[in-house]
Amino acid sequence: MLKDNIKSIRKSKGLSQEELAIKLNVVRQTISKWEQGLSVPDSEILISISEVLETPVSTLLGENISESKVDDMKALSEKLEIINLQLSKRKESILKFWNWTFISICLITVMVFIGTAKMGNIYMELDYNKPEYAVLGVAINSFEWIFIRISPIILIVSIIGIILTRKKA
């Protein structure tokens, strides 16, 4: 009973005999003897085993632990692995989306900047005596004035965003 329970719980926790021995400050051969039923731990060590394996002493001393619990843990770990993969893929797709968004913002900003530079001061050539041209001239002048001041900030933020969201090799 005790020997089988120590072995099955140790394995279900993913510990080797060596790892359990290190945590209990005993040699590996002692763990092996307990699991073979050649010796039994004293009461103090039994309490330490229950703490390390996060299992009540009564469970260690009780009936054999069914393999179904080990199988349940394997199934649970497989499900958790699948969930981790799905979350990883989702995170990767979100990063990819934001990376392309920042690249697009950067490109649009550069294209608009080049467009405004090539247009020159088109608002200076408009006839401001006509109201519709006056409104258009003020609108173009206002856009250019605001855009020229904000575009460096947009570019810097976009470049930082591209760097932070790029796929790491």
Side-chain angles (χ1 to χ4, degrees):
M1 282 196 264
L2 177 63
K3 65 179 186 167
D4 296 327
N5 290 346
I6 291 174
K7 185 175 185 176
S8 62
I9 294 171
R10 173 184 60 80
K11 285 185 176 182
S12 72
K13 298 287 184 180
L15 294 172
S16 67
Q17 286 183 344
E18 184 70 31
E19 292 169 329
L20 181 58
I22 290 169
K23 290 184 178 198
L24 295 172
N25 294 322
V26 297
V27 294
R28 188 202 55 79
Q29 289 80 0
T30 304
I31 305 293
S32 177
K33 286 181 182 178
W34 293 340
E35 290 181 357
Q36 292 175 15
L38 300 175
S39 69
V40 290
D42 63 17
S43 60
E44 290 179 11
I45 295 289
L46 195 56
I47 292 170
S48 297
I49 293 171
S50 76
E51 289 172 356
V52 168
L53 295 178
E54 299 171 338
T55 306
V57 174
S58 60
T59 302
L60 290 172
L61 295 173
E63 298 293 320
N64 287 342
I65 294 177
S66 66
E67 289 298 319
S68 64
K69 285 189 179 180
V70 174
D71 291 340
D72 288 345
M73 291 187 74
K74 285 181 184 176
L76 182 61
S77 71
E78 288 172 358
K79 287 179 183 178
L80 287 174
E81 187 175 337
I82 290 169
I83 290 170
N84 278 338
L85 285 172
Q86 289 172 342
L87 289 174
S88 173
K89 285 181 181 178
R90 182 172 179 221
K91 182 181 177 184
E92 186 177 314
S93 67
I94 289 171
L95 282 176
K96 194 176 200 180
F97 166 79
W98 282 109
N99 186 265
W100 281 108
T101 301
F102 286 124
I103 289 172
S104 300
I105 291 171
C106 214
L107 290 175
I108 291 169
T109 304
V110 168
M111 290 187 328
V112 171
F113 191 83
I114 291 171
T116 55
K118 287 205 179 233
M119 275 188 355
N121 295 337
I122 195 169
Y123 54 86
M124 296 291 277
E125 300 168 7
L126 296 175
D127 182 12
Y128 282 88
N129 290 327
K130 296 182 179 175
E132 59 273 1
Y133 288 142
V135 170
L136 181 63
V138 169
I140 292 172
N141 186 12
S142 298
F143 171 78
E144 183 180 271
W145 188 88
I146 292 170
F147 182 77
I148 296 300
R149 281 148 184 81
I150 292 177
S151 63
I153 297 168
I154 294 172
L155 278 175
I156 290 169
V157 170
S158 296
I159 291 170
I160 290 171
I162 291 168
I163 292 169
L164 293 176
T165 59
R166 75 179 187 275
K167 187 176 181 180
K168 290 161 177 86

